[in-house]
Amino acid sequence: MPTLSAKESLILELLVARDELYGLQLVAASRRRLKRGTVYVTLGRMEDKGYLTSRLEDAPPAEGGLPRRLYQPTALGRRLLSAWTEAARHLLPEFAR
Amino acid sequence: MRPGSWLRRQCGHLCTGQTMTRLVDPILADMQKEHADAVRAGRYWTARWIHARGYGSLAAALTMQGLWRSEWNAAVRFSGACMLLLSSGFILHNLSAVSAWSHASQQRLMLLLVPAALGAAFPAGFTVLLLYGLSRRPASRPVAICVLTAALVCSAGSIAALGWIVPASNQAFREEAAGVPVGRGTNELTLPELRAIANGRRSTAGLVAPAGAGDISLSYYARIAFSTAPLCLAVLALALVAQSRATRMLVGSVVLTSYFAYMFALGSEAGRRSASIVTPIVAAWVPNIGAMLVSLLAITLSRLKPAPTINP
């Protein structure tokens, strides 16, 4: 049975809402709930579980640095988030957003 | 050269391909992007801050990644429990010794004993962490370098703790327990003070129960030897890494128990008398030498073991 931690759920919510984001954009959009040091550990773990996929950005940066990585939710990730939110709404209506 | 290029090369030697792709490269890519934006805007101090923060983020991510490995997670908990047990035993032993006559607050006394308790328990906790956490396969060169670097840093920290912090907290504990200013004993002298007395450059006047030059030398060398325990015990853990966890923990427990029993005995009057048959430096270094000999034996035995054959 797949499970979602609070951070994983937040990441999936942000990714589902905006489809594709960089790690730093996730940190900025989370309003400090995700830390730039550890967000990639969580993203890597979620990739292992099949909740999201990643790809390198198309054009390399003009400055010549390393290409950045973009993350997007998989169908499994979207379904899991939907089921998780639904379950939370039924079980804990007072906490549901 | 882009910021983080050197660090990326070093990480390339130490990390797996997946860790590079998923952790190191994305973090460094973010850092390079932000750094380039700041430089382009002429915000050079911000660029420096971004550079430093990028290194911090990478360190945090690699630590988290390491701790999430279930073996290390269990190892951290197990070694933490060992340290807690040893520290608690040390604190309770010392508290019970003064509680009969001291009217000082028990909580404050307990707090003052924490540095000494942690200083004593840390080498054991560190060794247990390595013995438990290292997987059953020959340690690769990067792993060995990481372990030995960590042990070196821990040893340097131990020297600072046992040389300066613990003597100060010991003295504060004694004065708090007595309720009046009291003279210092051997355990309350800092490393430079011990060395000055051992070399005859300073007298023992003003010390409580002044010890002989031999005892002072022994105390000086024992403190240095104990500070290097993380390094010696890390070598032992690396030497045992190819053995099963049960063997590692068994051998490690025997060595650690002998190590601590010897150091504890060295602190007693009878122990110091027995140790006086050899020079103080030899007496102090016996447990470290013993640990190194066991390591050497383990390495020799593992090399003698025939390589596993592959059945067709």
Side-chain angles (χ1 to χ4, degrees):
Chain A
M1 172 71 186
T3 54
L4 272 184
S5 71
K7 274 187 185 174
E8 288 173 344
S9 159
L10 174 62
I11 287 173
L12 273 180
E13 273 174 31
L14 293 170
L15 287 176
V16 167
R18 298 171 201 203
D19 201 42
E20 200 173 43
L21 287 173
Y22 293 112
L24 266 190
Q25 287 176 321
L26 277 167
V27 173
S30 74
R31 289 188 217 147
R32 296 190 176 189
R33 284 154 76 193
L34 296 171
K35 301 278 179 288
R36 57 176 63 223
T38 52
V39 68
Y40 289 106
V41 182
T42 313
L43 287 169
R45 212 165 40 149
M46 290 173 76
E47 242 183 305
D48 282 340
K49 291 177 182 175
Y51 300 167
L52 49 88
T53 55
S54 70
R55 66 175 180 89
L56 289 178
E57 61 187 345
D58 294 329
E63 301 83 13
L66 288 164
R68 295 198 291 161
R69 192 162 278 277
L70 281 155
Y71 298 86
Q72 53 191 157
T74 58
L76 171 66
R78 286 173 193 272
R79 279 205 309 276
L80 184 63
L81 179 69
S82 157
W84 200 259
T85 315
E86 196 61 28
R89 196 173 294 138
H90 278 99
L91 292 171
L92 304 161
E94 61 273 28
F95 293 117
R97 272 172 274 176
Chain B
M1 195 165 74
R2 303 263 154 221
S5 304
W6 177 84
L7 187 62
R8 185 169 184 265
R9 272 202 307 280
Q10 305 314 312
C11 287
H13 295 302
L14 298 169
C15 302
T16 61
Q18 196 183 52
T19 306
M20 289 300 290
T21 313
R22 287 194 177 168
L23 282 187
V24 180
D25 284 352
I27 290 173
L28 292 182
D30 285 345
M31 183 182 83
Q32 290 179 346
K33 165 83 173 56
E34 288 187 299
H35 187 271
D37 289 347
V39 169
R40 209 179 309 111
R43 290 180 286 123
Y44 295 103
W45 280 106
T46 309
R48 285 190 189 104
W49 160 241
I50 288 167
H51 197 164
R53 192 180 55 185
Y55 277 37
S57 299
L58 187 60
L62 290 175
T63 309
M64 288 287 280
Q65 174 85 344
L67 290 182
W68 254 324
R69 255 185 61 203
S70 57
E71 291 161 31
W72 281 107
N73 207 334
V76 167
R77 274 181 282 153
F78 190 58
S79 67
C82 288
M83 275 183 69
L84 192 68
L85 202 68
L86 278 171
S87 314
S88 311
F90 180 93
I91 289 174
L92 290 177
H93 171 75
N94 282 287
L95 268 187
S96 63
V98 298
S99 59
W101 52 267
S102 173
H103 301 293
S105 142
Q106 296 281 304
Q107 284 87 355
R108 201 170 148 70
L109 289 176
M110 205 183 287
L111 208 65
L112 290 169
L113 282 170
V114 168
L118 287 181
F122 182 75
F126 182 70
T127 313
V128 169
L129 176 76
L130 293 179
L131 288 169
Y132 198 100
L134 289 172
S135 308
R136 192 188 171 181
R137 57 180 173 226
S140 62
R141 203 172 152 187
V143 169
I145 291 172
C146 276
V147 167
L148 292 177
T149 307
L152 206 62
V153 171
C154 292
S155 288
S158 281
I159 287 186
L162 297 178
W164 286 270
I165 299 168
V166 172
S169 70
N170 275 357
Q171 180 63 10
F173 171 79
R174 285 151 50 97
E175 293 194 345
E176 182 73 25
V180 289
V182 291
R184 292 186 298 168
T186 313
N187 291 337
E188 287 70 53
L189 295 174
T190 63
L191 269 182
E193 287 170 332
L194 279 176
R195 192 169 67 171
I197 295 173
N199 292 344
R201 285 188 282 111
R202 186 179 159 162
S203 77
T204 54
L207 289 185
V208 173
D215 284 354
I216 294 279
S217 290
L218 184 62
S219 183
Y220 172 68
Y221 289 119
R223 238 186 264 182
I224 292 180
F226 194 68
S227 302
T228 57
L231 195 57
C232 297
L233 295 170
V235 172
L236 174 75
L238 285 174
L240 291 170
V241 78
Q243 309 299 323
S244 67
R245 180 173 288 157
T247 310
R248 292 200 308 263
M249 296 307 287
L250 181 69
V251 177
S253 314
V254 171
V255 172
L256 274 177
T257 310
S258 316
Y259 196 107
F260 277 87
Y262 183 89
M263 281 297 183
F264 187 73
L266 214 55
S268 70
E269 184 61 41
R272 281 199 295 272
R273 248 199 328 272
S274 308
S276 63
I277 54 169
V278 289
T279 60
I281 190 166
V282 172
W285 279 81
V286 161
N288 285 350
I289 295 168
M292 296 307 270
L293 286 176
V294 174
S295 310
L296 204 64
L297 187 69
I299 292 169
T300 312
L301 287 178
S302 65
R303 285 197 176 164
L304 288 177
K305 211 193 281 184
T309 52
I310 300 164
N311 293 326

